[in-house]
Amino acid sequence: MQNRKPLSLHIPEPAQRPGDRPDFSGLDLSHAGEVRRPDTAVQHREISDLAYALIRVLDDEGRAVGPWNPKLDAETL
């Protein structure tokens, strides 16, 4: 029989515990209006990268900005 390295399991400590205030400072998020908006008739291969992006339409003040802005009036928003 071969000498094999014994199995081991590492379970990292979570950054937050239930009830703690969430901290998202380690995430790299796009700014509002930064992610491109493709034409609706493009092939799926051309927009597959958008599945891995956060598409932010509202800025920190709650205003719709960028190419995803639906140009809706405040009442509709």
Side-chain angles (χ1 to χ4, degrees), residues 63-74:
R63 296 180 304 244
V65 296
W68 295 89
N69 181 352
K71 309 267 190 290
L72 299 174
D73 59 272

Side-chain angles (χ1 to χ4, degrees), residues 8-28:
S8 65
L9 175 65
H10 172 71
I11 301 174
E13 285 291 321
Q16 285 88 29
R17 302 294 299 173
D20 289 349
R21 184 178 189 92
D23 177 19
F24 301 105
S25 61
L27 297 178
D28 183 27

Side-chain angles (χ1 to χ4, degrees), residues 10-75:
H10 172 71
I11 301 174
E13 285 291 321
Q16 285 88 29
R17 302 294 299 173
D20 289 349
R21 184 178 189 92
D23 177 19
F24 301 105
S25 61
L27 297 178
D28 183 27
L29 303 176
S30 60
H31 296 285
E34 184 177 69
V35 177
R36 65 185 172 82
R37 182 177 183 180
D39 184 77
T40 56
V42 298
Q43 293 293 316
H44 65 89
R45 291 179 295 281
E46 297 178 43
I47 59 173
S48 61
D49 62 309
L50 294 178
Y52 301 98
L54 173 67
I55 300 171
R56 288 186 60 197
V57 177
L58 301 178
D59 63 10
D60 293 336
E61 284 75 45
R63 296 180 304 244
V65 296
W68 295 89
N69 181 352
K71 309 267 190 290
L72 299 174
D73 59 272
E75 182 66 28

